Amino acid sequence: MNFLKRYANWLHLQWPAGKVEKLPLAGEDGETNVEGIRVVGDLTGIPLLKFSADTGAKAVRAFLEESRFEPSRDPEDKILDVAIIGGGVSGIAAAREARQKKLHFAVFESKESFSTIRNFPKGKPIFTYPTDMEPTGGMHFRSEVKEDLVEELEAQQQDAQIEPVSAKIESITRQGDHLFLNKDEGEPVVARAVVVAIGRSGNHRKLEIPGEEKDKVFNRLHDPKEFTGQKVLIVGGGDSAAEAAIALVEAGVEVTLSYRKAELTRPKPENVEKIKSLSSSSDEKLALKLETEPTAIHDDAVVLRSRQSDQEETIENDVVFALIGREPPLEFFRRSKLKVLGDRSLSFWLGMGAFVLFCFWLYHWKGGKPVPFYGYLPNWLSPNPGALSNWLQNLSGTIGSWFRDPATLLGTVSRSASTPSFYYTLAYSAVVVIFGIRRIRYRKTPYITVQTYTLMAVQVLPLFILPEIILPWLGHNGAYDSGLGKWFADTFFPSVNYDPNGREYWRAYGFILAWPLMAWNWFTAQPLWGWLIVGSIQTFVILPLIIRRWGKGAYCGWICSCGALAETLGDRHRHKMPHGPKWNRLNLLGQGILAFAILLMIVRIVGWIAGPDSLASWIFTEGASKLPLLNYGWFVDLFLAGVLGYGLYFWFSGRMWCRFACPLAALMHIYARFSRFRIFAEKKKCISCNVCTSVCHQGIDIMNFANKGLPMEDPECVRCSACVQSCPTGVLSFGRYDKEMRPVYDLLNASPVQKNENDKS
Ligand SMILES: Cc1cc2nc3c(=O)[nH]c(=O)nc-3n(C[C@H](O)[C@H](O)[C@H](O)COP(=O)(O)OP(=O)(O)OC[C@H]3O[C@@H](n4cnc5c(N)ncnc54)[C@H](O)[C@@H]3O)c2cc1C
Ligand code: SF4
Ligand code: SF4
Ligand code: SF4
């Protein structure tokens, strides 16, 4: 038992498993599920001034590129071209852009413009990351302290003559071509497009401990000097907590900073350095209590519990600051019918259920397999593609003769096209190509271009054209009638009656898809020695070698057909993969399925040795096939990989099967623990925005490696490059350790930020 625990920990459970915060679902330039509404600023997930300004201006530009957006530009028009909700940095950046483009717009602000910044503590230093970034729209941030920043921003607002309207917007409703902004008071405002720039204006997160309601507990620090001489506890591990601690110590306050984790990784490097130096200085003004959490707040004391030893300590205290962040205003989005990441409504479950049922039918039809406890699909649910082939072959004239003659290309295709799997593979390949081209256009990095073309080529050539057209066509033209050709075909594609082309050309998938993903060249009544040799070299020699150098993603992100679909069709669904420790435990399911495949293989080999009448052969052919859960073909191949793997695609991302259940991935995870592949992180650039973690469709908590400067080595990684590509500050790079354990970076650039930096230098 102990061994299994240690094994599970070594393979999967030791890696960080942070969750992804709930935010409105926004695509490129803040696009949402409601036409005409874009989300900008902090709500896009990157809580920095420059990004807020950048996203605000970009959203207005994106509206202008939409063909449906027809601005009137008439200041007298009752309908606004653009309504901007929120007068923070992103809202004012959007307004400046709208002014520049001569649009008819208005900004609606519930408090006063830049209220978030006005609420920063007095004299708070301002960090303007990334230093090289120049936000779209030209807003600048040159100030070094809060008061100067407010003046600088006000000046830019006045320059563009922006006068926000004082109103709180409660929700947005779409009616026909127009959007109605419902105010807390008065008539709704009508607009053609809406920019939502309301920042993190939701509730402050709660400590959920006794005493939290006391007057001495605050969520925001205004003037540090008010607390001079007092004993203050700050709870939190982000920039707000770190900056408040620094400001209070400088104002002569005795500060205790409590954070539940073992290391301060989220604040900016300058803040971390300052905290470390203050906490180690001899005047003992700052006590840094890592791995602790408050359990009770009394009038003159607080109780802190150590997360390591579970022991409690009571410390004298006058004031508590709970600086553990604010919730995004999710209710605003729900009222406005804007989708929120992770929200699962009735329509979510109904839609997914219907698609799973469709996949249930599709994979039984495609595989010609009986439904457990029911039997074969009825005729009305089982359209026969052979009818089309027959019709083509019965055409009169020259064309008909081409279809009738199997030695012509048309003749071969018409025979291949008499099975459902031909249409399935054709549609699969077409989807990979169409969505692959879209991915290349959307993501625009050299890595993605080369990777996607490779995936498309592997899918179309060896996984479709080769088995469905080239191999059978060669066969019909006598290539396998004698000599080496005959040996090759007899070894790899035995003759059969059931296949319209006369041989099992589908086995050619085995040239690309390795055991145990493609188990059917191994689970045969008699050993197919050719496949056993080719497959063993693939699974036990080639895969370990390529994984050692490039990681598991060399196969899962560059070759495998399931990976091809997940990276193309699944590209826009990656953020739907659930994260967190519970889901990470499910990563071990694949190990169970791998063990099942190995057990079946052993039974199969014993059956080969003991003969077809042996118990082992009976178990394999009869026993296991009668019980759906023991029938590998039905349970693993059809139900887990097909029905659930694809059925959950648009609801839980395209990598459910790959992450949790694929037995080949389970084997490769073991190889990957010995890999030199890493995703390296330049720690000082990381702003702990969590964007990388949120786009990882293998559920990896990449931020928790990056903000500690640790190379990412979770074996689940499929090298999709989404984290590297999406990181706003270019922290991450693919690479590997050389023999001396020095990082060697990939030549193909996967980060647009790094590419821009390289192009400039
Ligand atoms: C303590 C603290 C320190 C920070 N330090 C830095 C730093 O040093 N460097 C840095 O780059 N970034 C820093 N940031 C982050 C930065 O402040 C934000 O990224 C930026 O302010 C976000 O701008 P925004 O326009 O998205 O939202 P906000 O600035 O929050 O603006 C949202 C506006 O919308 C208004 N509003 C909300 N709801 C409604 C409604 N329903 N109707 C009408 N109006 C509404 C609000 O009143 C507010 O004025 C810090 C943030 C905090 C909290
Ligand atoms: S996890 Fe399995 S199915 Fe997915 S890409 Fe890798 S090998 Fe293919
Ligand atoms: S490349 Fe990044 S996003 Fe893709 S699987 Fe690996 S860690 Fe996740
Ligand atoms: S590495 Fe991740 S957390 Fe750090 S800046 Fe990049 S996306 Fe944000």
Side-chain angles (χ1 to χ4, degrees), residues 517 552 555-556 560 562-563 655 657-659 662 664-665 668:
L517 179 63
K552 183 189 106 185
Y555 187 79
C556 293
C560 180
C562 300
R655 286 278 192 182
W657 156 257
C658 293
R659 174 179 172 190
C662 173
L664 177 55
M668 292 195 289

Side-chain angles (χ1 to χ4, degrees), residues 685-692 703 706 726-729 731-732:
K685 283 172 142 185
C686 180
I687 54 169
S688 297
C689 63
N690 214 19
V691 167
C692 49
M703 179 186 85
S726 309
C727 172
T729 54
V731 172
L732 305 168

Side-chain angles (χ1 to χ4, degrees), residues 211-253:
E212 191 173 13
E213 68 297 338
K214 289 185 188 295
D215 289 346
K216 68 178 223 176
V217 181
F218 301 93
N219 297 113
R220 159 167 97 73
L221 169 66
H222 180 60
D223 185 354
K225 293 212 173 75
E226 282 174 33
F227 304 96
T228 305
Q230 300 195 22
K231 292 185 173 62
V232 168
L233 170 74
I234 300 174
V235 187
D239 272 312
S240 300
E243 285 171 8
I246 296 165
L248 284 165
V249 170
E250 284 170 356
V253 180

